[in-house]
Amino acid sequence: MVIIWNLSRTSKRIISLFIDTLFICLAFYFSFWVRLGKFEWLMNVESIYTLVGTIVLTLVFFIRLGLYRAVLRYLTFHALFVIFIGSLLSALALALLSYYLQSFLPRTVPIIYFAFLAILCGGSRLMVRALVFQGDKKGRESVLIYGAGGAGRQLALSLKSSEEYRVVAFVDTDTTLIGMIIQGLSVHHTDNIASLITKSDAKKIFIAVPSASRARRKEIIDSLVHLHMEVLSVPSMEDIVSGKASIDQLGDVPIDDLLGRDPVAAQQVLLEANIKNKVVLVTGAGGSIGSELCRQIIKGDPSAIILFERSEFALYKIENELTQLAAEANKTIRIVPLLGSVQHYNRLTMVMTTFNVNTVYHAAAYKHVPLVEFNVAEGIQNNVFGTYFTAKAAIESKVESFVLISTDKAVRPTNVMGTTKRLAELGLQALAEQEHEKVNGTRFCMVRFGNVLGSSGSVIPLFKKQILKGGPLTVTHPDITRFFMTIPEAAQLVIQAGAMGKGGDVFILDMGDSVKIIDLAKNLIRLSGLDVKCEDNPLGDIEIKFTGLRPGEKLYEELLIGGDVGKTAHERIMTAQEFYLPLNEYVDILEKLDDACKHFDHELIRKILLSTPTGFEPSDGIGDLAWNEKLASSKQKVDKCFDEVAKLAIQNDIKK
């Protein structure tokens, strides 16, 4: 059998022709035998000529109809239809040949012949296909499909030709489908999934409900987590419809499905208010948030978008991407890539004035908590002075609207990064008070939210890499929680919040419920088909290790300093009324900070930060690496001096 499978296509077609010739002969003789009960009428010359002519014409019909081009492994209804038509034509040819050759032929024989030929040619091919299919099953992995709807059926059809997977059944919650057979597969209720897995030895579950809401998909995932099966998902309906993905492009369960948070439809008026036909500048345009802001801004049809970025590679990437997006959408938007630092006031002012910027989205910031702890002065220069200089340049250039991307770490900060972001907020609030007095002053506002999924500092990509390596997964603390939001949703809400700003507004994005990081880690392990290794399960696959809180890290994040929260025109955007400083007091703080940073006096920096109304309560001592190295070096020198003095004293005593 294996030898036949390995033959060339031409050899297989010759064998098919030979077998079909045999089937025609069998159908011819047995149709007479069924009708007459004997074969003696078939021994004359006319009958033999009729049979030979029928064989030749039938094979010609089959060839012309394309029967021998069909691959048995992928036999479809079309091939069976071809056999039906070919058999019908063959029966007609038999009747005509017997008439012209004056061969004896009872009237019912062509009908019987047609039935025999169709059964023999069609049935043999179906039998071969079944044998091939059964043989292929041995090397394929058994899987279940969750969802027996249109997407599930399409996925099952696609996987029939897969050499990797074998679908054993559907599972669904729709009671009208339970017990039905779809594409040869039975539909089972989700309540019976555990026993079904045991019986079928299924290794994976494919979720095929692309049109379901995220909340519904989260319910499905939660119901599967305890099974310790690898769970894969078809792309979202949006990606399938847009052509970005096909139904059989299976991937890991999206993390936003684990959160179960459905995005709220954006309000087009708010999306376009500060963008449409305007010149928009984005600082930190190559970063996680900055780049997504740029993608959303392109959709809003600005007249130009200015990409301001200090990283050459990041700027190159986002410029190329936006140029391609604009071309695909047939949009003529001017894209201006500019290298520069937000710490350079003159560069900022020149850029904003030259390009007549209308709207600024300030996303440039150092946001990695431990790194800012280790590089305090640079963090202050970039996050505090960079924001202030950008805001001052916006005022100088008569920019209409300025939106600061802030963070939940600015609320009662325990680290330098959060403190710098709160100081940046205070600066904008102070400038906003000044701009209120002008007729067309710059409108400043800030948008505060938590972690975004997939950002450069996100824990999710780290967990996935650690799972691929076999673990362990590193979690700082068993009780640590965080707010999460997808980058596209955050960017859209930032744009909409900025459009509602009147001046000095602090907008808070509704992040939903906070997520326990340890639960997220466990779910990711289980959805990969693995077990968590712990004391209760020492034979598990992947261990979770607790590394301890990093410098400046908090267990819980908050979004509000006070309790005064107001609603806005958007259900996911809130506004907060918070304390702020007069501009002269804020400038005084900046002058002291600037002097301390220039002299790298970290003790003075810490003292100034503690004196500001940011609520800074450090959880650790000064973490600046260069400062600590300098202190250690100085201590070593002092200790060395003391050692030398002690040695001299001992030597003098000996001499005496």
Side-chain angles (χ1 to χ4, degrees), residues 429-492:
Q429 289 172 308
L431 289 170
E433 186 183 31
Q434 171 188 280
E435 291 301 292
H436 268 309
E437 299 173 3
K438 299 179 182 178
V439 177
N440 292 313
T442 302
R443 289 182 291 109
F444 290 102
C445 70
M446 53 229 74
V447 185
R448 192 186 290 161
F449 54 94
N451 299 273
V452 287
L453 296 168
S455 69
S456 58
S458 177
V459 72
I460 309 302
L462 174 63
F463 282 166
K464 287 187 174 181
K465 287 179 183 177
Q466 290 173 338
I467 289 172
L468 287 174
K469 290 180 180 179
L473 265 63
T474 53
V475 178
T476 56
H477 194 280
D479 296 324
I480 194 167
T481 63
R482 288 292 181 265
F483 290 102
F484 286 102
M485 179 182 283
T486 63
I487 295 179
E489 184 184 9
Q492 279 194 357

Side-chain angles (χ1 to χ4, degrees), residues 309-334:
E309 172 63 56
R310 72 186 303 172
S311 167
E312 181 187 24
F313 178 66
L315 183 62
Y316 166 77
K317 277 184 65 180
I318 190 62
E319 186 216 355
N320 275 358
E321 183 181 346
L322 294 182
T323 301
Q324 186 176 348
L325 285 174
E328 290 173 357
N330 294 318
K331 294 182 177 182
T332 53
I333 299 170
R334 188 181 182 191

Side-chain angles (χ1 to χ4, degrees), residues 146-157:
Y146 193 113
R153 295 171 193 178
Q154 193 175 342
L155 177 60
L157 194 62

Side-chain angles (χ1 to χ4, degrees), residues 556-569:
Y556 313 100
E557 299 291 2
E558 305 167 90
L559 287 166
L560 291 170
I561 294 174
D564 191 3
V565 185
K567 293 183 178 180
T568 67

Side-chain angles (χ1 to χ4, degrees), residues 21-34:
T21 301
L22 179 61
F23 285 157
I24 294 166
C25 293
L26 289 173
F28 181 78
Y29 283 109
F30 276 103
S31 61
F32 273 92
W33 182 79
V34 168

Side-chain angles (χ1 to χ4, degrees), residues 200-258:
S200 63
D201 194 30
K203 303 298 182 185
K204 294 179 181 177
I205 300 175
F206 297 158
I207 299 177
V209 285
S211 58
S213 66
R214 282 183 187 159
R216 172 60 188 141
R217 289 204 292 268
K218 184 178 186 301
E219 288 178 11
I220 293 171
I221 292 163
D222 288 343
S223 69
L224 301 176
V225 165
H226 72 282
L227 299 171
H228 303 288
M229 294 273 289
E230 185 173 358
V231 179
L232 299 176
S233 176
V234 300
S236 67
M237 186 57 71
E238 182 183 348
D239 287 342
I240 294 171
V241 172
S242 65
K244 292 180 182 177
S246 60
I247 194 75
D248 57 348
Q249 284 182 320
L250 297 157
D252 292 337
V253 173
I255 299 302
D256 39 334
D257 283 356
L258 289 177

Side-chain angles (χ1 to χ4, degrees), residues 10-43:
T10 303
S11 300
K12 289 177 181 177
R13 285 172 180 170
I14 292 171
I15 292 172
S16 295
L17 285 167
F18 175 77
I19 292 173
D20 284 342
T21 301
L22 179 61
F23 285 157
I24 294 166
C25 293
L26 289 173
F28 181 78
Y29 283 109
F30 276 103
S31 61
F32 273 92
W33 182 79
V34 168
R35 174 66 180 82
L36 303 173
K38 52 187 176 180
F39 296 110
E40 62 186 46
W41 294 98
L42 302 175
M43 299 305 154

Side-chain angles (χ1 to χ4, degrees), residues 448-570:
R448 192 186 290 161
F449 54 94
N451 299 273
V452 287
L453 296 168
S455 69
S456 58
S458 177
V459 72
I460 309 302
L462 174 63
F463 282 166
K464 287 187 174 181
K465 287 179 183 177
Q466 290 173 338
I467 289 172
L468 287 174
K469 290 180 180 179
L473 265 63
T474 53
V475 178
T476 56
H477 194 280
D479 296 324
I480 194 167
T481 63
R482 288 292 181 265
F483 290 102
F484 286 102
M485 179 182 283
T486 63
I487 295 179
E489 184 184 9
Q492 279 194 357
L493 290 175
V494 164
I495 293 170
Q496 292 173 88
M500 293 187 284
K502 298 175 183 177
D505 310 81
V506 178
F507 291 108
I508 314 294
L509 300 189
D510 177 7
M511 302 286 293
D513 298 326
S514 61
V515 178
K516 206 169 183 179
I517 302 299
I518 183 68
D519 292 340
L520 195 59
K522 288 178 180 177
N523 285 341
L524 284 172
I525 292 172
R526 288 166 181 160
L527 291 173
S528 299
L530 304 169
D531 282 336
V532 179
K533 185 177 181 181
C534 57
E535 291 182 4
D536 296 334
N537 185 23
L539 299 177
D541 302 294
I542 294 183
E543 185 181 1
I544 297 175
K545 283 190 175 180
F546 298 106
T547 58
L549 292 174
R550 298 173 297 177
E553 192 170 35
K554 296 168 71 174
L555 273 179
Y556 313 100
E557 299 291 2
E558 305 167 90
L559 287 166
L560 291 170
I561 294 174
D564 191 3
V565 185
K567 293 183 178 180
T568 67
H570 196 290

